[in-house]
């Protein structure tokens, strides 16, 4: 904030002095002319200083933003890795549970198939006996 | 004794490698998670199918039990001259 203020004063002062130096020029004393040039040169130097200072501040800010961007990138990456590890864990747990269920049902199916075979066998035998008896009745 | 300049350079290099390593791990895990997810999807589909098979088999067994007991039902009720003794259907 004070930078802006001092810059405003300097610019205003510059305009004032440049106006005054025009007046001196028309007054036309020899000592007056060299004084004006000196003042003008000094003011140019001051302006250059001011510009240098501004550049430095700007660079500082830019570097700061750059560092913050870099840090954010690192933090984001770390957070992403943590999340991915958690996801990985969850998926593996689900896989294990589901696999267990699958094996259980598969075992049950084996038993059920054996039962159907056995029962079908019984039924076939009975049908054979019935057929035989019917044939015998004839 | 290592100069400050060299020390700073090495520090920056180490940092760069750390970040690259992190990125590499992230990429790896993304790939793995993708593959595992696909495995899970497939397994869930298989599960669904086998449960349907299971239901069908249970029905078949139940039907066969019914049919078998039906075969013997008239024998339990009748008084006629059939010499066959009813066997237990279990």
């Amino acid at each position: 904030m004070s930078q802006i203020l001092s810059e405003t004063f300097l610019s205003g002062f510059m305009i004032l002095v440049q106006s005054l130096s025009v007046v001196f020029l028309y007054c036309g004393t020899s000592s007056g002319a060299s004084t004006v040039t000196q003042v003008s040169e000094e003011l140019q130097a001051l302006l250059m200083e001011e510009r240098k200072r501004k550049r430095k501040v700007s660079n500082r800010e830019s570097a700061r933003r750059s560092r913050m961007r870099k840090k954010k990138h690192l933090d984001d990456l770390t957070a992403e890795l943590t999340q991915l590890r958690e996801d990985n864990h969850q998926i593996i747990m689900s896989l294990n549970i589901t696999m267990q269920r699958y094996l259980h049902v598969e075992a049950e199916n084996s038993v059920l198939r054996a039962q159907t075979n056995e029962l079908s066998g019984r039924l076939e035998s009975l049908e054979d006996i019935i057929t035989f008896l019917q044939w015998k009745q004839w | 004794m290592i100069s400050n300049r060299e020390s700073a350079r090495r520090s920056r290099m180490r940092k760069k490698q750390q970040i690259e390593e992190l990125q590499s791990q992230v990429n790896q895990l993304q790939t793995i998670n993708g593959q595992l997810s696909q495995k899970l999807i497939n397994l869930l589909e298989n599960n669904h199918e086998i449960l349907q098979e299971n239901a069908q088999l249970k029905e078949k067994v139940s039907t066969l039990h019914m049919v078998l007991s039906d075969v013997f039902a008239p024998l339990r009720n009748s008084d006629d001259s059939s010499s066959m003794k009813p066997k237990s259907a279990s």
Side-chain angles (χ1 to χ4, degrees), chain A residues 31-92:
Chain A
S31 55
S34 60
T35 309
V36 164
T37 318
Q38 279 174 354
V39 168
S40 195
E41 279 174 358
E42 278 171 22
L43 277 164
Q44 299 279 48
L46 267 172
L47 264 177
M48 298 269 270
E49 291 275 327
E50 186 57 23
R51 277 183 210 138
K52 250 197 278 185
R53 237 174 290 154
K54 267 195 259 182
R55 231 189 348 260
K56 275 197 211 163
V57 167
S58 174
N59 282 355
R60 251 204 310 272
E61 284 304 310
S62 177
R64 198 180 77 95
R65 281 194 303 269
S66 191
R67 284 193 303 271
M68 286 181 63
R69 231 190 347 253
K70 188 168 181 186
K71 183 176 190 300
K72 182 176 190 302
H73 183 228
L74 178 62
D75 290 343
D76 289 348
L77 221 48
T78 314
E80 194 179 352
L81 188 61
T82 306
Q83 183 62 56
L84 282 170
R85 287 205 171 119
E86 177 61 29
D87 292 348
N88 185 272
H89 178 72
Q90 292 289 337
I91 297 173
I92 288 176

Side-chain angles (χ1 to χ4, degrees), chain A residues 80 88 108-109 113 122, chain B residues 25 30 33 53-54 58 89:
Chain A
E80 194 179 352
N88 185 272
E108 200 181 327
N109 278 12
R113 267 191 222 108
R122 272 198 232 169
Chain B
Q25 285 182 16
Q30 278 172 341
N33 281 9
E53 202 182 319
N54 187 268
K58 278 183 181 162

Side-chain angles (χ1 to χ4, degrees), chain B:
Chain B
M1 200 48 216
I2 301 168
S3 72
N4 276 3
R5 199 175 287 178
E6 181 60 22
S7 167
R9 197 184 79 91
R10 290 190 195 177
S11 206
R12 285 194 302 272
M13 294 290 284
R14 227 176 320 152
K15 186 112 197 243
K16 183 168 183 276
Q17 273 168 356
Q18 281 171 1
I19 294 187
E20 280 170 6
E21 173 63 24
L22 257 182
Q23 184 65 60
S24 158
Q25 285 182 16
V26 163
N27 293 345
Q28 207 178 39
L29 260 181
Q30 278 172 341
T31 307
I32 290 174
N33 281 9
Q35 292 171 345
L36 284 176
S37 293
Q38 191 54 53
K39 256 191 186 169
L40 185 58
I41 290 172
N42 294 343
L43 188 57
L44 285 167
E45 273 177 31
N46 292 347
N47 228 25
H48 179 73
E49 285 170 12
I50 210 176
L51 277 169
Q52 282 182 330
E53 202 182 319
N54 187 268
Q56 284 173 359
L57 282 171
K58 278 183 181 162
E59 223 199 288
K60 214 171 184 183
V61 168
S62 161
T63 309
L64 282 169
H65 269 133
M66 250 177 28
V67 168
L68 278 170
S69 68
D70 279 351
V71 167
F72 291 113
L75 291 173
R76 284 186 220 109
N77 294 333
S78 73
D79 293 328
D80 66 33
S81 53
S82 167
S83 56
M84 290 278 292
K85 277 199 181 147
K87 291 181 189 166
S88 75
S90 59

